[in-house]
Amino acid sequence: MSVTAQQDGSAAAPTYGSFADTLKQGGSGANGPASARAASVIEQIANSAVVNYERLPMLDVVFDRMVRLLTESLLHLIPAEIEIGLEDVRSARFGELMAKAPNPSVIGIIHAKEWEGSCLAVMDQGLVYNLVEVLLGGDSRPSAAPTARPPTSIERKLTLRLMNLIAKHLSEAFDPLTTVQFEVDRLETNPQFAAITRTTSASVHLRLNVAVQKLTGPIDIFIPYTTLEPIRNLLVQMFMGERFGRDAAWEEHFASELTETEIELEAVMHEFEAPLSTTLNWRPGARIKLSATPDSPTKILSGGQELFAGVMGQKNGKIAIRVDEVAGAEPKPAPRQAAAG
């Protein structure tokens, strides 16, 4: 903020225009540090503008299914006790999420083919080294802070195998909603080379807490909203339990019990309308004439819903109905008669 001296020696009031001009100068001269701080404050204000994060209920269900699938696979892959818990699911700006990611870490860039977008899987470097140690037959144990060194060739191959598992189960978790194939594109250790979207773009952050014996470490997954845009209309729906967590044994039991259910059937020979005055005059012994004949179709109903139709007859001294039609079924075409010669 500049102050100009007048001829009478008094100081003029500071103006907003001079303050803005100082910011535009980029911090040159004696006011450089103050201008730089002011510019930083303005940048923070601009980046902290309110962003509306749309709630995606189905995404929580997808992530929960992914955790169960990943846990089952790692139990078969790693010869050690392992537990994976869903620690946090939230939305924020991509830059803020990446700033809170573990450092050092190994970052997997995962590409979603059908959506033409990408997401990130970030593994803490300490967790990576201990998982590799267990995969090679060693013991998982807490160690000192990991050094910021690039992973070796063996570590990269084993880490890539774990990233492929994450991508595979992420695809399977989305299967009940839509078909999408996640594939690991590459591994990075520098977050600057893993910028898949702008720092101000809204993203979903999933944090998994992985416990291997005595060691605990995070796995973070970042999915930009732009990547999820092709299925946004599916993710905003409320989960009603249609196909997630299917149990084949329960489905088979339910189907077998359902077929044993008893229902009440009604056979209707004929229906007609009559004036109320006529029905009020009916007494025991009154005769009601029906327009039905022995060849008239008889309807079979259950709960007021027509199921079948057929012709009434007799079998073994009891009245029987031969089913000729199924309600709702397309009628069979009449057989073609041969032309007279």
Side-chain angles (χ1 to χ4, degrees):
M1 184 180 298
S2 61
V3 179
T4 56
Q6 298 182 351
Q7 293 180 356
D8 56 2
S10 61
T15 62
Y16 175 78
S18 60
F19 177 67
D21 293 339
T22 303
L23 293 180
K24 293 179 180 179
Q25 292 175 1
S28 60
N31 295 330
S35 300
R37 287 195 298 271
S40 177
V41 170
I42 290 180
E43 183 178 358
Q44 293 179 14
I45 293 174
N47 290 337
S48 63
V50 177
V51 177
N52 294 324
Y53 301 110
E54 188 174 16
R55 176 168 168 74
L56 305 174
M58 291 299 295
L59 202 57
D60 296 336
V61 183
V62 170
F63 287 155
D64 182 70
R65 190 167 187 264
M66 174 198 167
V67 170
R68 289 188 280 111
L69 293 172
L70 184 60
T71 302
E72 184 178 352
S73 290
L74 290 181
L75 286 174
H76 290 86
L77 178 65
I78 298 177
E81 182 181 355
I82 184 170
E83 294 182 2
I84 301 178
L86 184 59
E87 182 177 327
D88 186 26
V89 177
R90 65 189 186 95
S91 300
R93 295 179 183 273
F94 182 76
E96 297 175 5
L97 296 176
M98 288 297 293
K100 297 179 180 179
N103 186 27
S105 59
V106 179
I107 306 172
I109 290 85
I110 302 175
H111 183 67
K113 284 186 175 181
E114 288 76 5
W115 300 345
E116 297 182 356
S118 299
C119 60
L120 300 180
V122 183
M123 297 181 64
D124 178 71
Q125 203 170 67
L127 176 64
V128 170
Y129 294 157
N130 279 272
L131 287 176
V132 171
E133 183 77 17
V134 174
L135 286 172
L136 295 178
D139 294 330
S140 174
R141 58 185 183 277
S143 58
T147 57
R149 64 170 179 83
T152 63
S153 176
I154 295 178
E155 290 170 345
R156 288 184 66 90
K157 289 182 179 180
L158 293 178
T159 304
L160 182 61
R161 185 177 179 182
L162 295 174
M163 290 291 184
N164 285 329
L165 273 180
I166 294 175
K168 172 187 175 183
H169 294 312
L170 193 58
S171 301
E172 295 175 352
F174 276 101
D175 275 345
L177 288 177
T178 184
T179 301
V180 59
Q181 186 68 30
F182 288 94
E183 292 184 354
V184 179
D185 185 33
R186 65 185 188 278
L187 296 180
E188 296 287 352
T189 56
N190 189 343
Q192 294 181 356
F193 299 143
I196 58 176
T197 186
R198 295 180 299 177
T199 56
T200 56
S201 298
S203 302
V204 177
H205 173 214
L206 165 68
R207 167 156 287 192
L208 305 178
N209 190 26
V210 182
V212 183
Q213 295 180 354
K214 298 180 181 180
L215 177 74
T216 301
I219 296 179
D220 296 281
I221 297 178
F222 305 104
I223 307 180
Y225 271 65
T226 53
T227 300
L228 298 173
E229 182 61 28
I231 61 165
R232 186 192 64 83
N233 59 330
L234 299 176
L235 296 176
V236 296
Q237 299 177 4
M238 295 300 297
F239 173 61
M240 301 302 293
E242 292 87 355
R243 296 181 62 85
F244 285 89
R246 294 182 59 181
D247 190 338
W250 168 252
E251 287 184 357
E252 184 178 352
H253 171 72
F254 184 78
S256 63
E257 292 296 323
L258 187 62
T259 56
E260 298 297 328
T261 303
E262 295 185 357
I263 60 174
E264 184 178 350
L265 298 175
E266 299 177 355
V268 179
M269 299 174 57
H270 181 65
E271 294 177 331
F272 69 98
E273 296 181 357
L276 180 60
S277 58
T278 302
T279 58
L280 292 177
N281 292 328
W282 287 346
R283 295 292 184 271
R287 295 184 178 181
I288 303 173
K289 294 182 179 181
L290 302 178
S291 300
T293 65
D295 295 331
S296 297
T298 301
K299 298 179 181 178
I300 301 177
L301 307 136
S302 177
Q305 181 70 33
E306 182 179 351
L307 302 179
F308 310 100
V311 178
M312 185 178 63
Q314 185 177 3
K315 184 177 182 180
N316 298 332
K318 296 181 180 180
I319 297 177
I321 300 175
R322 185 188 64 203
V323 176
D324 293 332
E325 296 180 8
V326 179
E330 297 182 358
K332 296 182 179 180
R336 183 178 298 177
Q337 296 180 355

